[in-house]
């Protein structure tokens, strides 16, 4: 990835996170974190990956809210980034945080079982 592409990716992540946090007023979009972005080689497409705190219903609502706000997010990006072509934004769920939390819970359970066996046996 080129230096310009890296800078654009970082700028998109930062600005979209700020837009979601401070400018988006949709009540369906609750606790959403921008985790990553993929920018196409020509800079015209941006896949923004988000993690949502909550259950599957909260995830579905947040994704609906983000999908309906793509035009607003893109127009905000256009005014903030001042590029020749503002990328088309699409939102995608990133399950990595949930996966990490699940692994953490499993490790804690294993550690507790090991301590219980050491104490009992």
């Amino acid at each position: 990835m080129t230096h310009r592409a890296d800078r654009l990716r970082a700028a998109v992540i930062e600005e979209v996170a700020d837009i979601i946090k401070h400018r988006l007023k949709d009540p369906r979009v609750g606790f959403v974190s921008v985790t990553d972005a993929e920018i196409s080689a020509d800079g015209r497409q941006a896949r923004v990956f988000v993690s949502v705190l909550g259950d599957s219903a909260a995830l579905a609502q947040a994704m609906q809210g983000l999908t309906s706000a793509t035009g607003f997010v893109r127009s905000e990006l256009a005014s903030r980034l001042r590029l020749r072509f503002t990328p088309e934004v699409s939102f995608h769920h990133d399950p990595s945080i949930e996966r990490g939390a699940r692994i953490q819970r499993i490790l804690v359970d294993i550690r507790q079982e090991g301590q219980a066996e050491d104490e009992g046996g």
Side-chain angles (χ1 to χ4, degrees):
M1 188 177 282
T2 66
H3 182 64
R4 182 182 185 282
D6 278 339
R7 284 193 336 230
L8 178 58
R9 180 181 149 275
V12 166
I13 291 170
E14 181 179 338
E15 295 300 335
V16 170
D18 187 65
I19 292 166
I20 290 171
K21 184 176 180 182
H22 295 108
R23 301 276 296 144
L24 205 57
K25 303 296 183 206
D26 192 326
R28 295 176 292 182
V29 180
F31 296 104
V32 174
S33 299
V34 177
T35 58
D36 199 7
E38 290 178 356
I39 311 297
S40 64
D42 62 1
R44 294 185 184 224
Q45 300 288 322
R47 292 175 46 128
V48 178
F49 294 93
V50 296
S51 180
V52 178
L53 183 65
D55 58 5
S56 60
L59 170 64
Q61 282 188 336
M63 294 307 291
Q64 285 176 346
L66 289 171
T67 300
S68 69
T70 55
F72 174 75
V73 171
R74 184 170 187 236
S75 67
E76 283 288 312
L77 274 179
S79 67
R80 293 175 182 214
L81 298 181
R82 302 202 184 272
L83 300 168
R84 179 175 291 169
F85 299 105
T86 303
E88 289 286 335
V89 177
S90 61
F91 291 99
H92 303 274
H93 176 243
D94 180 6
S96 63
I97 292 177
E98 291 90 356
R99 192 177 312 124
R102 191 174 124 262
I103 290 170
Q104 183 67 29
R105 283 192 307 271
I106 290 170
L107 291 173
V108 167
D109 290 346
I110 290 170
R111 188 176 305 124
Q112 289 174 348
E113 287 175 10
Q115 287 175 350
E117 287 177 6
D118 289 344
E119 292 172 3

